[in-house]
Amino acid sequence: MKLNVTVIGGGMIVADQILPSLYQLQRHGNVGNIVICARRQSTLDALPKGFTPTTAPYKDVLANAAERNLTIVALPDEIHFDATMTAIEAQQHVICVKPLVQTVQHGQMIERAARDRNLFVGVEYHKRFDDRALMARDRYRRGLFGEFKLGTARLFEPWYYRHSNFQNWFTLNAADSFTYIGCHYVDLVHFITGLLPTSISVCGIPEKFPNGNEGWLWNDARVRWENGAILNVQNALGYPDLGPGSNTQGMTLWTSKGDAGGFLDHNDSYRGLSYCYVEGDKRSPDKRYSEPSPDYMQIIPDSTGGTRVVGYGYRSLEALIDAAAQIELGQTTLDHIDSTGILATPKNSYFNELVTEGARLSLANDGREVLLQYGVLPFVHLKSYL
Ligand SMILES: NC(=O)c1ccc[n+]([C@@H]2O[C@H](COP(=O)([O-])OP(=O)(O)OC[C@H]3O[C@@H](n4cnc5c(N)ncnc54)[C@H](O)[C@@H]3O)[C@@H](O)[C@H]2O)c1
């Protein structure tokens, strides 16, 4: 089945991951027409041609979209809620880039609105489609590691992000580097272990962007889990532009069972490739040495003489779009997708919204611990020490 796709937003994630993946799925016959809606014509002009561009407001674009097709929300975090709800009200299946929304209440509203209409909503946590995450999930759940105890994770995005459109939306009141990228590793620890986070504390260092706006550009988070385990997560827009990778990222989990200790250690940026080019990088002319990741998104030659897109960024979109098509064809149910737990949905990953909401509250209170409460009406609150 071919779903027509409306993409809202035309920034970095659309250029790097979403659009190349959509073009490949279109070639495979899984995607029909592609419309991309952005505020500025120059944003649309910078993307590879093959889609219908529009600068109309997304509410108007969605009001005219054919019902029961697909919308991909790729906007700054704080407008995910409005755009996702607008798409659901326009009878669209939705894929939203992570984090879905910034409060658990908004996540639940999305869940109910979509379920009432039998629409699929998927959150694009692409690290779940890195084979190493799926291997770890399988082996952890078979008991090979024992139980998670202590962990540390890091994801530092490059320094040059500070010079991009980020400086307009990644401001103190709207975003921070933990909820922007640290959320991937909180999601992964749940994805692998099945454990739920129960409290969070986030400290940050505010710094100015080149345009003078201030953002939480360095963050340190501590997440406690329902079995007492503790994960430390460090994030920043601070990886040196001259550094060999396009970022640094990875995770170590220490585990135990009975009298034996175990661990799982993923270097998610250095994947064994070392290149030294004879000319400098376009963005950083002094940079010639590089450690590219073959695993996220690459465009490589294929046997037909053309190219194809490979990597977990592509596989993630392929799986999410396939789920929307299966719902539309009546070949699966929302309950089945929720309970299988491979795709992140508002129902099976609402712990991420609790973490995001708790993280923002903790940051606003200089790192005080925030408890995450589950149940019929999930909520977060500052831990009392009285
Ligand atoms: N690793 C990841 O999973 C990952 C990586 C990058 C981005 N993201 C997520 O993707 C989202 C967008 O990030 P990005 O890096 O592409 O940001 P970006 O700043 O490059 O792009 C944002 C886009 O949204 C557009 N936009 C803003 N308001 C709009 C509106 N009202 N109508 C239409 N378009 C509008 C902007 O013009 C811009 O094109 C964020 O939620 C981010 O967290 C996820």
Side-chain angles (χ1 to χ4, degrees):
M1 160 175 212
K2 279 187 189 181
L3 288 171
N4 293 325
V5 181
T6 307
V7 182
I8 311 178
M12 188 182 64
I13 190 88
V14 173
D16 290 356
Q17 183 192 344
I18 295 174
L19 190 54
S21 300
L22 288 179
Y23 281 153
Q24 176 146 309
L25 289 164
Q26 199 176 44
R27 288 196 293 277
H28 291 178
N30 301 344
V31 158
N33 297 330
I34 302 168
V35 173
I36 303 186
C37 157
R39 280 180 308 179
R40 278 188 293 276
Q41 188 61 41
S42 56
T43 305
L44 298 164
D45 291 344
L47 296 168
K49 304 283 172 281
F51 62 90
T52 306
T54 174
T55 52
Y58 64 74
K59 285 187 196 299
D60 297 344
V61 174
L62 290 170
N64 291 314
E67 290 185 358
R68 304 204 70 86
N69 280 275
L70 176 70
T71 293
I72 300 183
V73 175
L75 296 165
D77 299 358
E78 60 174 346
I79 35 179
H80 288 181
F81 175 66
D82 186 67
T84 301
M85 285 300 274
T86 307
I88 292 170
E89 280 155 15
Q91 299 288 341
Q92 301 287 301
H93 301 282
V94 180
I95 296 170
C96 183
V97 294
K98 59 80 235 162
L100 175 61
V101 280
Q102 293 180 313
T103 67
V104 70
Q105 194 197 3
H106 279 170
Q108 292 198 317
M109 287 166 75
I110 287 173
E111 211 281 312
R112 277 194 294 273
R115 193 160 284 260
D116 285 349
R117 298 164 173 85
N118 193 36
L119 291 168
F120 171 71
V121 176
V123 194
E124 209 277 309
Y125 279 104
H126 45 247
K127 284 189 179 297
R128 290 179 173 215
F129 286 85
D130 192 341
D131 289 341
R132 61 181 56 186
L134 288 152
M135 284 172 63
R137 175 183 165 99
D138 178 54
R139 287 164 203 225
Y140 186 95
R141 288 171 188 231
R142 283 197 274 133
L144 299 186
F145 292 106
E147 190 183 4
F148 168 45
K149 294 288 176 187
L150 272 190
T152 173
R154 67 172 192 290
L155 206 172
F156 282 32
E157 293 289 18
W159 192 275
Y160 69 77
Y161 276 22
R162 297 169 180 227
H163 295 269
S164 75
N165 187 40
F166 274 57
Q167 52 193 324
N168 298 318
W169 65 269
F170 199 97
T171 46
L172 289 181
N173 60 340
D176 60 87
S177 57
F178 171 75
T179 54
Y180 173 59
I181 36 176
C183 62
H184 272 301
Y185 280 105
V186 176
D187 183 67
L188 264 194
V189 168
H190 168 82
F191 185 69
I192 292 168
T193 66
L195 293 166
L196 288 170
T198 54
S199 90
I200 175 133
S201 154
V202 188
C203 296
I205 305 173
E207 248 175 34
K208 282 198 165 58
F209 283 101
N211 70 355
N213 283 341
E214 245 189 326
W216 294 110
L217 301 188
W218 309 87
N219 287 102
D220 183 87
R222 175 193 288 165
V223 184
R224 293 182 196 268
W225 299 80
E226 59 183 322
N227 67 339
I230 301 172
L231 176 76
N232 168 250
V233 190
Q234 295 194 325
N235 304 106
L237 303 191
Y239 184 71
D241 293 342
L242 287 179
S246 52
N247 55 36
T248 180
Q249 50 178 309
M251 174 174 76
T252 307
L253 303 183
W254 296 92
T255 61
S256 73
K257 184 175 182 184
D259 195 29
F263 70 86
L264 170 169
D265 188 30
H266 288 177
N267 185 334
D268 290 337
S269 37
Y270 179 60
R271 301 202 179 208
L273 277 65
S274 306
Y275 290 175
C276 188
Y277 304 115
V278 292
E279 280 182 12
D281 185 90
K282 269 196 199 120
R283 191 175 277 123
S284 311
D286 294 336
K287 176 166 159 171
R288 288 175 47 204
Y289 177 76
S290 137
E291 294 170 355
S293 164
D295 296 338
Y296 167 50
M297 282 289 290
Q298 291 293 335
I299 298 177
I300 57 169
D302 80 357
S303 55
T304 66
T307 57
R308 70 191 168 105
V309 178
V310 293
Y312 60 85
Y314 169 73
R315 293 195 296 275
S316 168
L317 282 160
E318 181 186 44
L320 290 161
I321 291 173
D322 191 44
Q326 282 188 31
I327 289 290
E328 207 39 51
L329 292 168
Q331 291 172 343
T332 190
T333 62
L334 296 176
D335 284 341
H336 180 71
I337 294 172
D338 286 336
S339 61
T340 306
I342 299 290
L343 299 175
T345 66
K347 184 158 190 183
N348 72 19
S349 75
Y350 79 92
F351 66 89
N352 280 320
E353 273 66 66
L354 278 173
V355 168
T356 298
E357 187 172 349
R360 298 295 302 171
L361 181 61
S362 178
L363 255 179
N365 286 275
D366 198 24
R368 262 182 71 183
E369 189 169 4
V370 172
L371 302 182
L372 315 178
Q373 304 287 358
Y374 294 83
V376 186
L377 282 178
F379 65 102
V380 305
H381 62 97
L382 287 167
K383 181 172 178 177
S384 163
Y385 294 92
L386 293 177

